[in-house]
Amino acid sequence: RCTMEGNIQREDARSSPRVPIWKLLMLSSCGGAVNFGFTAEFTYATPLFSTLGFSPMLSSVAWFAGPIAGLTALPLASSLSDTCTSRFGKRRPYILLGLVLSLIGMMLLANPVGLSHLVGYTGQTNAFAIGLAVTAMWVMNMGLNVVYGPAWALVLDKTPSNQQHHSNAAITLLCSLASLIAQLVGFINFQSLIGISSASFLFYFGVCYVVIFSAPTIFFAKEIPLRKEVVQQQRRTNFLRHLWYGLKTMNLTTTMILVAGFFTFAAMAPYQIFFTDYIGKVVYHGNPSAPPNTVAYLNYQKGVRMGSLVGAISNCVSVIFAALTPFLMDRVGTKITYGLVTLSTVVSGLFPLFAATQSLPYMFVLGILQGPLNVAGSIITGALVARSVAREDMGIYVSLLNISQTLGQLVSQFVAGTVMTHVTLQWGMAVASGFGIIGVLLILIMRIPPPVEEEHVFQVESQVEKTNENSPLISPA
């Protein structure tokens, strides 16, 4: 059920003039800043844990911070921002809170060993640095997820309904650009250039990037404070109760979409968090625990930087597929497109079992294989959910989709991390591909719902607008 605040927002958005492209980019810039933070930790958090002596299994446990924050902080901040009555607006207070947490986490994660020495810790082990790094991961991920939901909602709040596709495109563009910049910065050997590790430089650079690219969103989003009497008149629905309602009323098609989403995202998770570590250890034969400046240690760091370059290639492929996915869904078919992009991830996970070479073609192949599902998977699963559920229930089923995908990531990264610890990194990647194979099989037997007719959607939206205009609880702007 739409909240009264949501009805007011949609009415204002439909009646407002088109937003200039430059302002859309300003409003969306915070989304790109958040994605820089996510990409920085995907690139260097696991190598940092390995340097501190973590096994892959322990690294996967530390990485629980990301999915758990996505399951808790993101929906909570998004929900609370719907009814925030701050004089600074309803979204910006949560964006600012999340940014502060994110910046603290990034600064702590930049150099936990140096910080432990700074506070006078002189123990024989890295216990203090380990605790600092894990704490930083949790603080950073909680902060990034607190920002992400309200920042995306803010863009949609300020954009007319006939410009929503432009706003989504702007967010996607800036997120992809931020990821590309983070990966290219992570590839540069700053240790030899200025005497600081590439990981430390990336996180310090990320602090500056987040501040600079969040500022336009904060200053250009002129939010009108939400009136308390309007909030008090809303019929508040318990989120967990609403979630349970969605589970009880879910049809078979939607169930299959969510289960397939669990397995397809499970196939991606180990690649995201262990890939740079794999390149450093297996492909470049490095050792993160070796003394600094030894051949084994330097080889590992070189491999991590090359892994960052592969991530940049993968990101470029993702951008291309983000543009091609709607066309492929129309021309080739949704089922075939979804199956093929998932299959490419399966192959990328099995590839290390048969080849591990430092050649650039090998790196390019890995990047190209992993790229499609990164973006296309979200676009396709979101479109499938939109086709299979009633429009008024869209929000809760999108939340259920996010939960199923996040649970897939949690399960996969723990299973893969355990296999990597007790067997090899390559077999851990292959186990993740096993999840992807199950996903492909589910996609093959899945009934794909037809696209929603635009004319019908227009009629429904028009009826909602008329209802809102006649509502006694809605005051004119």
Side-chain angles (χ1 to χ4, degrees):
R1 177 176 298 179
C2 298
T3 62
M4 197 60 61
E5 174 273 328
N7 290 339
I8 293 172
Q9 179 60 55
R10 278 189 293 274
E11 187 176 16
D12 290 343
R14 282 181 170 84
S15 59
S16 59
R18 289 178 63 84
V19 179
I21 295 299
W22 69 268
K23 191 170 185 180
L24 268 183
L25 294 173
M26 295 298 101
L27 292 172
S28 305
S29 63
C30 191
V34 169
N35 218 51
F36 188 101
F38 283 129
T39 305
E41 66 177 0
F42 280 142
T43 303
Y44 272 107
T46 301
L48 172 64
F49 292 142
S50 293
T51 303
L52 293 173
F54 277 39
S55 67
M57 185 173 68
L58 288 177
S59 293
S60 71
V61 172
W63 268 103
F64 281 5
I68 290 176
L71 287 172
T72 56
L74 192 154
L76 183 61
S78 300
S79 177
L80 292 174
S81 72
D82 283 340
T83 54
C84 177
T85 57
S86 167
R87 65 189 181 92
F88 299 106
K90 60 181 182 178
R91 311 290 186 194
R92 286 187 293 178
Y94 289 93
I95 293 174
L96 286 170
L97 171 63
L99 287 174
V100 171
L101 292 174
S102 303
L103 295 174
I104 292 173
M106 292 179 77
M107 287 188 288
L108 293 177
L109 202 58
N111 191 10
V113 175
L115 288 173
S116 67
H117 294 160
L118 189 64
V119 299
Y121 181 80
T122 57
Q124 294 298 315
T125 66
N126 287 327
F128 188 88
I130 289 171
L132 201 59
V134 173
T135 301
M137 275 287 287
W138 280 91
V139 172
M140 180 177 171
N141 277 280
M142 285 293 175
L144 291 173
N145 279 281
V146 167
V147 175
Y148 194 75
W152 195 293
L154 177 61
V155 177
L156 300 180
D157 286 346
K158 307 303 291 183
T159 308
S161 58
N162 61 356
Q163 240 184 322
Q164 295 286 321
H165 59 296
H166 290 300
S167 63
N168 284 324
I171 295 173
T172 301
L173 173 65
L174 291 176
C175 285
S176 299
L177 181 62
S179 292
L180 184 60
I181 292 172
Q183 288 153 343
L184 291 177
V185 171
F187 170 65
I188 300 172
N189 187 358
F190 288 99
Q191 185 71 53
S192 63
L193 292 176
I194 56 177
I196 183 174
S197 72
S198 297
S200 296
F201 185 90
L202 180 60
F203 284 112
Y204 287 135
F205 181 84
V207 169
C208 300
Y209 190 99
V210 169
V211 170
I212 292 171
F213 283 90
S214 297
T217 299
I218 300 297
F219 290 113
F220 280 95
K222 305 297 182 182
E223 290 189 284
I224 300 174
L226 193 61
R227 293 186 293 120
K228 292 183 179 179
E229 55 268 28
V230 173
V231 175
Q232 291 169 354
Q233 291 171 4
Q234 293 181 21
R235 292 183 61 183
R236 301 191 179 197
T237 303
N238 182 278
F239 177 72
L240 292 178
R241 190 174 298 170
H242 198 189
L243 204 65
W244 177 241
Y245 161 79
L247 287 170
K248 287 195 303 181
T249 59
M250 188 160 48
N251 58 43
L252 179 60
T253 299
T254 309
T255 302
M256 290 290 289
I257 294 169
L258 266 59
V259 174
F262 174 95
F263 285 101
T264 55
F265 273 69
M268 284 196 302
Y271 182 96
Q272 290 177 318
I273 66 176
F274 288 113
F275 182 73
T276 51
D277 192 50
Y278 156 75
I279 296 294
K281 289 178 178 176
V282 177
V283 178
Y284 278 79
H285 311 291
N287 182 0
S289 301
N293 298 320
T294 60
V295 173
Y297 182 83
L298 294 176
N299 282 344
Y300 177 76
Q301 296 300 329
K302 182 178 181 180
V304 170
R305 292 195 304 273
M306 286 303 299
S308 184
L309 178 62
V310 174
I313 296 168
S314 180
N315 185 68
C316 291
V317 175
S318 296
V319 172
I320 295 170
F321 263 83
L324 289 178
T325 296
F327 172 81
L328 292 173
M329 290 172 68
D330 290 337
R331 295 299 178 91
V332 181
T334 301
K335 179 178 290 191
I336 294 176
T337 303
Y338 193 11
L340 286 177
V341 297
T342 305
L343 190 61
S344 71
T345 300
V346 171
V347 174
S348 72
L350 295 174
F351 206 66
L353 284 176
F354 306 102
T357 172
Q358 298 176 16
S359 67
L360 283 178
Y362 175 76
M363 303 294 180
F364 271 95
V365 169
L366 286 178
I368 290 170
L369 286 173
Q370 186 61 30
L373 190 60
N374 286 341
V375 173
S378 298
I379 295 173
I380 295 171
T381 52
L384 290 176
V385 168
R387 294 179 185 184
S388 65
V389 303
R391 196 169 177 81
E392 61 270 19
D393 292 329
M394 188 77 69
I396 194 62
Y397 283 108
V398 168
S399 296
L400 287 170
L401 175 64
N402 176 66
I403 289 171
S404 70
Q405 293 170 341
T406 303
L407 289 175
Q409 292 173 315
L410 274 170
V411 172
S412 176
Q413 70 187 43
F414 180 73
V415 172
T418 303
V419 173
M420 290 175 182
T421 299
H422 298 291
V423 190
T424 63
L425 285 167
Q426 297 96 310
W427 277 107
M429 296 282 194
V431 167
S433 291
F435 286 100
I437 291 171
I438 297 174
V440 171
L441 294 175
L442 288 171
I443 292 166
L444 290 176
I445 64 174
M446 183 192 304
R447 188 184 74 84
I448 301 295
V452 178
E453 292 295 332
E454 290 297 325
E455 181 63 27
H456 172 69
V457 172
F458 175 77
Q459 290 172 359
V460 172
E461 290 184 341
S462 298
Q463 184 60 43
V464 170
E465 285 183 335
K466 291 178 182 178
T467 303
N468 291 344
E469 289 170 0
N470 296 330
S471 173
L473 298 181
I474 300 179
S475 330

